[in-house]
């Protein structure tokens, strides 16, 4: 069974479009995250949610809107896509927010904006 | 969270031990050392973490110096599948911890036959 899954795996779209990436975890974890890995391979936190509440928003443009319908899902909607949004987006989850628990990462969604 | 410094790349012969160093000289008392790795095109994978004692699990061993200013991740018998980027991350636990992981550049470990 896949612990953290993301759909789609690849997403190619044009500038100005709106797209969503979905993430689901079947680990029963309370906390979920979105990370972005750019072309230079730097991994950076974007958002974290704990029990469906937003905890971190790391100065991400408001074109990015995460939504957590329940603890097992954290989706990422991106409006008015720009070339600079091209990256690999990773979803992750951990048991609780503040404890000594590892994060489990999904396989990533490679977004290409043309 | 304290900053970490790692060598950008290392090579290791297959079957030998891989020793990956990390400096975290500004680490504070409530910060743990975590290691993750990222195999090409996959999501990062947790390896091990520790506070001040040495730790061992089925994947690796973590040796933390007594002053906690540096640590070494040891893969005892490296295989070709261990070729990856290894990240050393320092993170607080407890109240005030946002849970986020701050990734640096990491060390690219190339295991060679």
């Amino acid at each position: 069974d896949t612990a953290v899954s993301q759909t789609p795996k690849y997403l190619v779209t044009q500038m100005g479009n709106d797209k969503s990436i979905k993430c689901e975890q079947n680990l029963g974890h309370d906390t979920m995250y979105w990370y972005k890995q750019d072309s230079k391979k730097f991994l950076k936190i974007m958002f974290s949610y704990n029990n469906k509440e937003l905890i971190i928003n790391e100065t991400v443009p408001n074109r990015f809107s995460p939504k957590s319908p329940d603890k097992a899902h954290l989706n990422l909607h991106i409006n008015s896509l720009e070339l600079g949004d091209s990256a690999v987006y990773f979803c992750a989850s951990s048991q609780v927010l503040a404890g000594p628990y590892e994060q489990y990462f999904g396989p990533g969604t490679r977004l290409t904006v043309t | 969270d304290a900053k970490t410094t790692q060598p950008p790349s290392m090579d290791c012969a297959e079957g030998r031990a891989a020793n990956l160093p990390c400096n975290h000289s500004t680490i504070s008392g409530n910060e743990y050392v975590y290691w993750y790795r990222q195999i090409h095109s996959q999501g990062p994978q947790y390896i091990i973490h520790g506070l001040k004692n040495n730790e061992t699990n089925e994947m690796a061993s973590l040796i933390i110096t007594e002053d906690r200013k540096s640590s070494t991740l040891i893969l005892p018998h490296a295989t070709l599948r261990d070729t990856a980027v290894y990240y050393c991350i320092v993170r607080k636990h407890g109240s005030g911890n946002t849970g986020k992981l701050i990734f640096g550049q990491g060390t690219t470990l190339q295991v060679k036959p």
Side-chain angles (χ1 to χ4, degrees):
Chain A
D1 283 345
T2 304
V4 182
S5 59
Q6 296 179 228
T7 53
K9 189 168 175 61
Y10 299 97
L11 183 55
V12 181
T13 187
Q14 292 183 327
M15 284 175 55
N17 285 348
D18 303 339
K19 290 293 178 186
S20 292
I21 306 171
K22 296 187 175 184
C23 177
E24 177 181 2
Q25 54 95 1
N26 62 6
L27 298 166
H29 287 170
D30 284 349
T31 309
M32 296 184 73
Y33 310 82
W34 278 109
Y35 288 83
K36 177 181 179 181
Q37 187 166 39
D38 62 23
S39 58
K40 294 182 179 177
K41 303 294 186 184
F42 284 110
L43 259 166
K44 191 172 179 186
I45 183 79
M46 297 175 70
F47 300 102
S48 76
Y49 268 73
N50 189 53
N51 285 319
K52 302 196 299 173
E53 282 192 40
L54 179 67
I55 302 297
I56 299 173
N57 177 341
E58 286 284 312
T59 61
V60 177
N62 58 15
R63 298 183 295 104
F64 290 78
S65 53
K67 284 195 170 46
S68 182
D70 55 57
K71 285 200 315 183
H73 296 85
L74 181 62
N75 303 323
L76 185 64
H77 187 76
I78 315 170
N79 289 327
S80 303
L81 278 155
E82 300 177 356
L83 293 177
D85 298 332
S86 295
V88 181
Y89 292 84
F90 289 100
C91 177
S93 73
S94 64
Q95 193 164 341
V96 294
L97 179 65
Y101 300 107
E102 62 265 36
Q103 292 183 18
Y104 293 80
F105 284 78
T109 296
R110 183 174 293 276
L111 171 65
T112 303
V113 182
T114 60
Chain B
D1 295 321
K3 186 177 175 181
T4 62
T5 305
Q6 300 177 251
S9 63
M10 292 181 65
D11 288 344
C12 177
E14 188 177 19
R16 304 297 293 268
N19 297 286
L20 293 95
C22 178
N23 283 322
H24 30 80
S25 57
T26 60
I27 194 169
S28 58
N30 63 348
E31 290 182 316
Y32 285 66
V33 179
Y34 280 76
W35 283 84
Y36 282 76
R37 72 180 182 183
Q38 186 174 24
I39 296 170
H40 180 62
S41 297
Q42 297 182 20
Q45 176 191 24
Y46 166 82
I47 301 173
I48 198 167
H49 75 277
L51 181 62
K52 53 185 177 181
N53 297 322
N54 297 338
E55 302 288 344
T56 295
N57 63 20
E58 65 278 4
M59 289 183 71
S61 294
L62 174 60
I63 309 297
I64 302 174
T65 57
E66 195 167 338
D67 63 8
R68 303 210 320 123
K69 294 185 177 182
S70 65
S71 60
T72 301
L73 179 74
I74 301 173
L75 307 178
H77 305 287
T79 70
L80 298 178
R81 288 178 298 177
D82 292 322
T83 292
V85 180
Y86 287 77
Y87 297 99
C88 170
I89 299 166
V90 170
R91 185 167 85 84
K92 288 189 181 75
H93 286 179
S95 171
N97 173 23
T98 62
K100 69 181 181 183
L101 296 174
I102 300 176
F103 289 85
Q105 287 188 301
T107 295
T108 299
L109 175 69
Q110 182 74 47
V111 180
K112 298 187 173 180

